């Protein structure tokens, strides 16, 4: 039996922008993307062009991790909280610094990037889409 757990980011109409941002900032590879309009539509429930353009599902590959990004269905609202975030682990502080700086643009700094007892460079930032990332640098053995 194989079990896989993947981060899944749900946004309110900004998934396409977030996907582009993660491609640029994290080197994500877009493996799959489908809009609402490309999927099966319910008869008798017409959608606007804007609703059809929303992202129903996408699959991004970042290093060895698969991440999903989509828009909420029309009428759903996002509820923010800090109970789930994404931790990016790197092997060097320079890479951590680059990722941290790109992700904080337009977002907010939760913990300044710097040395911690468990990491030579650790920080936490919430990006412009409201997604919180921990940036963790592994100690060299």
């Amino acid at each position: 039996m194989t079990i896989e757990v993947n981060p899944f980011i749900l946004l309110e109409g900004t998934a396409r922008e977030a996907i582009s941002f993660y491609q640029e900032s994290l080197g994500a590879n877009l493996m799959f993307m489908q809009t609402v309009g490309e999927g099966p539509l319910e008869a008798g429930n017409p959608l606007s062009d804007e609703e059809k353009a929303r992202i129903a599902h996408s699959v991004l590959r970042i290093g060895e991790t698969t991440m999903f990004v989509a828009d909420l269905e029309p009428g759903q609202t996002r509820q923010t909280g800090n109970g789930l975030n994404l931790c990016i682990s790197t092997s060097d502080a320079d890479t951590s610094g680059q990722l941290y700086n790109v992700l904080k643009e337009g977002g907010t700094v939760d913990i300044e990037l710097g040395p911690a007892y468990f990491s030579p460079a650790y920080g936490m930032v919430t990006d412009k889409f409201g997604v919180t990332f921990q940036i963790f640098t592994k100690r060299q053995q």
Side-chain angles (χ1 to χ4, degrees):
M1 172 195 261
T2 301
I3 296 176
E4 188 175 321
V5 177
N6 304 100
F8 199 126
I9 298 172
L10 290 169
L11 300 167
E12 293 185 45
T14 57
R16 186 179 308 275
E17 182 183 349
I19 290 164
S20 294
F21 179 69
Y22 298 139
Q23 286 177 301
E24 293 170 22
S25 62
L26 301 177
N29 291 316
L30 181 61
M31 309 302 288
F32 174 81
M33 183 171 70
Q34 183 179 45
T35 65
V36 171
E38 293 170 331
L41 300 175
E42 291 181 37
N45 187 17
L47 298 176
S48 69
D49 288 342
E50 182 181 317
E51 290 169 328
K52 288 179 185 176
R54 291 172 81 98
I55 304 302
H57 188 61
S58 72
V59 179
L60 300 175
R61 190 84 176 148
I62 303 169
E64 296 299 314
T65 302
T66 300
M67 178 171 81
F68 306 135
V69 179
D71 286 311
L72 290 165
E73 292 186 25
Q76 288 184 315
T77 57
R78 186 164 175 226
Q79 298 180 19
T80 58
N82 61 3
L84 176 66
N85 52 66
L86 303 175
C87 182
I88 300 174
S89 299
T90 73
S91 58
D92 66 272
D94 288 340
T95 301
S96 291
Q98 291 169 356
L99 294 171
Y100 178 86
N101 288 328
V102 166
L103 290 169
K104 77 176 186 178
E105 288 180 28
T108 58
V109 171
D110 300 305
I111 299 172
E112 286 287 343
L113 184 70
Y117 73 91
F118 53 85
S119 173
Y122 172 80
M124 199 166 172
V125 62
T126 301
D127 74 9
K128 61 187 173 184
F129 301 102
V131 178
T132 300
F133 289 87
Q134 293 184 50
I135 309 297
F136 173 79
T137 309
K138 298 175 186 175
R139 291 200 180 278
Q140 298 300 317
Q141 302 293 332

